[in-house]
Amino acid sequence: AGTWTTDEIPLERLNGNGIVMDVSAQASIDPDYRLTLQDVLEFEKEYGDIPESSIVMLRTGWGKKYGDKLAYLGDDTPGEASNLHFPGYGEESALYLVETRQVSILGIDTASIDYGPSTDFIVHRIACDANVPGLENVANLDLLPATGSWIIALPMKIEGGSGGPARIVALVPRN
């Protein structure tokens, strides 16, 4: 069967319950922090099981660094990508979210769903193998509640594409 290209992702996979996990406190201490399985289980203990087909966003606090290449990426050496430092998903948490909770999308407010120093890009591989798109450089996650929003992510339909720009919106109930 193979994995989907950008233009093949079904629309029903591009919208769903918004889940926002906040690891900004951990990431402020460790710029290479990775979401752990324990983090996810603690989230579920507080908010309930993550529903199937949800769109999970990881809030690391890195969104506020966007625009400052050194702060955002951990390195600003032109043409060099071997010394990057920013948080991401960990392997165990990604496996749990993708295989056990069967989420539709993994998103994050950093440059990659894998943490900066990654060389094996295991989270990309886990997500791609399961046809779970990754959303990166997502803005304004600090404005969303942990649960209760509806997220719509519409990537540019590039034939045969492995990625591209996306327009992401969240609908949040008024209180």
Side-chain angles (χ1 to χ4, degrees):
T3 57
W4 294 323
T5 57
T6 307
D7 59 307
E8 297 172 330
I9 303 169
L11 280 175
E12 59 267 16
R13 294 293 297 268
L14 298 172
N15 69 97
N17 289 308
I19 302 292
V20 180
M21 293 189 207
D22 187 353
V23 296
S24 57
Q26 298 95 314
S28 70
I29 296 165
D30 178 5
D32 296 326
Y33 189 79
R34 286 173 273 181
L35 180 73
T36 66
L37 177 56
Q38 188 60 40
D39 292 330
V40 178
L41 296 176
E42 288 174 14
F43 180 92
E44 289 189 322
K45 186 176 180 182
E46 182 173 349
Y47 297 101
D49 290 353
I50 295 167
E52 184 177 325
S53 302
S54 290
I55 295 177
V56 175
M57 296 289 186
L58 185 58
R59 180 183 341 167
T60 68
W62 247 241
K64 66 183 176 213
K65 299 178 182 209
Y66 192 82
D68 179 341
K69 188 175 182 181
L70 180 58
Y72 192 68
L73 298 175
D75 187 30
D76 62 357
T77 307
E80 181 60 48
S82 64
N83 196 31
L84 301 178
H85 296 281
F86 49 79
Y89 288 86
E91 180 177 358
E92 283 187 335
S93 64
L95 281 168
Y96 180 80
L97 291 167
V98 168
E99 294 179 358
T100 303
R101 292 297 176 228
Q102 298 182 339
V103 302
S104 287
I105 293 177
L106 295 177
I108 194 164
D109 60 357
T110 69
S112 175
I113 56 175
D114 279 288
Y115 81 125
S118 179
T119 57
D120 63 0
F121 304 100
I122 189 65
V123 177
H124 274 84
R125 294 191 342 239
I126 290 165
C128 187
D129 287 349
N131 278 322
V132 172
L135 298 174
E136 300 163 338
N137 303 302
V138 178
N140 299 316
L141 291 181
D142 57 317
L143 301 178
L144 297 180
T147 63
S149 68
W150 187 262
I151 296 176
I152 304 163
L154 300 173
M156 186 179 285
K157 242 181 132 169
I158 301 171
E159 186 176 354
S162 63
R167 181 70 180 209
I168 306 165
V169 296
L171 306 175
V172 181
R174 293 183 179 153
N175 290 337

